[in-house]
Amino acid sequence: MPVKNRFAELHDEITAWRRDLHEHPEILFDTVRTAKVVADKLRAFGCDEVVEGIGRTGVVGVIKGKSTSSGKVIGLRADMDALPIHEQTGLDYASKTPGAMHACGHDGHTAMLLGAAQYLSETRNFDGTVVVIFQPAEEGGGGGREMCADGMMEKFGIQEVYGMHNWPGHDIGTFAIRPGPFFAAADLVEIEIEGRGGHAAKPHETIDSTVVASHIVLGLQSIASRNADPVEQLVVSITSFETSSKAFNVIPQRVTMKGTVRTLSPAIRDLAEKRISEICDGIAAAYGAKATVNYKRNYPVMINSDDQTEFAAEVARAVSGQCEEAPLVMGGEDFAFMLEERPGAYILVGNGDSADVHNPEYNFNDDAIPVGCSWWAEIAERRMPAA
């Protein structure tokens, strides 16, 4: 595998960075320690500029090539935040923070981009400028949106942007990517059912909010099966069901449900939002209850640009000898906000035979570090070849 020799030399050091980050996970925008570690290392590497506090706790480093006559500026992005999961790996470097762990590999992403930043700062074998982006709050907080809202793209003159995520279950050194829609829009929905509470032994005197809500959960499944074109991708999942009473002998006045909607096209997204309100209102009315729906459009569809996707795949083949077509992913990814601002591409890199992401037994595979670092570095050097 033609990874860069420098990353083989740095492998142990980058691994140590990664494991330190793994021990100290931080959630959403609370990536204060992580951001400081990143900023301190970027300054130690000799980055031309290091800016903190973008998108609340994001960090950006600027690395100029031996020449900048091309005028090209490329952004490379890694996410820094962890998940609210209690780790069950039993590792020597397991999370020291109860209820938080790096269960998605963002510790690995951050470490790999730091490794690439060190190499690029040392060699500067490119004609242009590299902007390394370390983003907080990918896991539901919209950190990418916040960094863009802070004017990151304009401030640093970023022209195109690239991202990477590890891929459990696929061999180290393998890559996969696809042009166009790749990761789904990830919307949030909260539904409140107001009935009439009462004694469980006298259901005829109540409007049972649990019965109404249960029918709504089932009714919402008809959106994908009976309203959407079968060739379209759509997921409607109710993931939380909470009543206003916890007693055995009380029919609750109120039920609150939460869930997520995943789509890959604007038309299906519109359809899902419309039908959720109609189904909730209709079923609630049939039972004499009232439904209140709060639908929040959250992460947009992540769309890879054609030219940048072809280039990213070419770099992957140069590093590993292959790059396959990735499947559509119904998970959300807030790199989508950056791809709405600039053309770019997002690629998957194999994590070996590991537990899946968002699993308490997951761990980023350190063997992927030289591969990932090499891809980042090659993106810069091949997109902006030295004069």
Side-chain angles (χ1 to χ4, degrees):
M1 184 185 302
V3 299
K4 291 183 177 294
N5 290 336
R6 182 62 175 135
F7 295 123
E9 296 168 1
L10 289 170
H11 193 177
D12 288 347
E13 185 176 0
I14 299 170
T15 296
W17 302 343
R18 201 282 294 183
R19 294 184 179 187
D20 173 71
L21 295 173
H22 190 90
E23 281 189 88
H24 301 92
E26 295 173 304
I27 294 170
L28 293 173
F29 290 99
D30 294 330
T31 52
V32 177
R33 179 189 184 274
T34 306
K36 184 178 187 307
V37 168
V38 166
D40 287 350
K41 289 191 183 302
L42 293 178
R43 291 189 178 100
F45 299 158
C47 287
D48 297 282
E49 184 179 3
V50 178
V51 182
E52 301 176 68
I54 298 178
R56 302 196 214 178
T57 49
V59 181
V60 169
V62 177
I63 307 166
K64 296 183 182 298
K66 290 178 180 177
S67 168
T68 58
S69 61
S70 72
K72 293 181 179 179
V73 183
I74 291 178
L76 308 177
R77 172 270 200 180
D79 34 21
M80 300 188 293
D81 59 319
L83 281 157
I85 294 175
H86 187 74
E87 184 163 350
Q88 297 177 22
T89 62
L91 294 165
D92 293 341
Y93 53 88
S95 170
K96 293 181 177 177
T97 305
M101 75 169 287
H102 273 291
C104 204
H106 296 185
D107 50 343
H109 304 162
T110 296
M112 288 191 294
L113 187 53
L114 281 173
Q118 179 172 355
Y119 168 84
L120 292 169
S121 297
E122 291 172 351
T123 59
R124 300 183 185 259
N125 190 32
F126 53 94
D127 179 16
T129 303
V130 174
V131 179
V132 288
I133 302 163
F134 296 87
Q135 180 209 303
E138 191 282 324
E139 297 289 359
R145 174 174 50 207
E146 295 287 330
M147 294 189 85
C148 289
D150 269 359
M152 176 182 69
M153 297 297 183
E154 295 78 15
K155 177 179 175 60
F156 298 100
I158 298 169
Q159 298 164 352
E160 53 188 65
V161 63
Y162 296 86
M164 183 198 303
H165 203 289
N166 72 93
W167 196 19
H170 294 263
D171 293 342
I172 298 295
T174 60
F175 286 92
I177 198 170
R178 67 182 299 123
F182 190 177
F183 279 58
D187 295 339
L188 309 175
V189 62
E190 185 170 351
I191 304 163
E192 186 172 284
I193 306 302
E194 186 81 16
R196 184 168 63 242
H199 200 292
K202 300 178 180 180
H204 58 291
E205 296 179 358
T206 73
I207 297 175
D208 192 337
S209 58
T210 62
V211 171
V212 178
S214 297
H215 279 275
I216 286 174
V217 171
L218 296 175
L220 293 178
Q221 301 313 304
S222 69
I223 301 173
S225 66
R226 288 297 177 268
N227 297 141
D229 187 324
V231 302
E232 296 281 0
Q233 287 78 27
L234 169 63
V235 176
V236 180
S237 293
I238 297 299
T239 56
S240 174
F241 191 109
E242 185 174 354
T243 67
S244 58
S245 171
K246 306 302 180 188
F248 287 96
N249 60 349
V250 174
I251 289 176
Q253 177 88 2
R254 187 177 304 106
V255 170
T256 301
M257 297 180 286
K258 296 178 182 178
T260 185
V261 178
R262 307 299 174 102
T263 56
L264 284 164
S265 78
I268 296 298
R269 196 180 198 185
D270 291 343
L271 170 69
E273 182 176 1
K274 176 174 179 286
R275 290 299 292 142
I276 286 172
S277 291
E278 292 171 346
I279 288 169
C280 290
D281 290 343
I283 290 177
Y287 285 91
K290 179 183 177 183
T292 302
V293 178
N294 179 19
Y295 191 100
K296 179 184 177 183
R297 295 202 172 201
N298 198 29
Y299 293 3
V301 179
M302 191 188 74
I303 302 174
N304 274 348
S305 307
D306 290 346
D307 177 63
Q308 284 73 21
T309 300
E310 184 178 345
F311 170 66
E314 174 188 314
V315 172
R317 286 189 288 269
V319 170
S320 73
Q322 64 74 238
C323 185
E324 63 184 83
E325 181 171 330
L328 290 167
V329 178
M330 296 309 288
E333 169 52 66
D334 89 342
F335 188 60
F337 291 111
M338 296 189 189
L339 289 179
E340 284 191 328
E341 298 252 341
R342 295 293 186 272
Y346 191 77
I347 198 166
L348 303 178
V349 60
N351 197 58
D353 186 20
S354 70
D356 204 359
V357 294
H358 293 221
N359 184 303
E361 296 184 357
Y362 166 86
N363 187 38
F364 179 84
N365 192 329
D366 293 317
D367 290 342
I369 286 172
V371 181
C373 290
S374 294
W375 185 82
W376 284 126
E378 289 286 336
I379 286 286
E381 292 179 346
R382 287 173 179 261
R383 201 60 162 175
M384 303 182 294

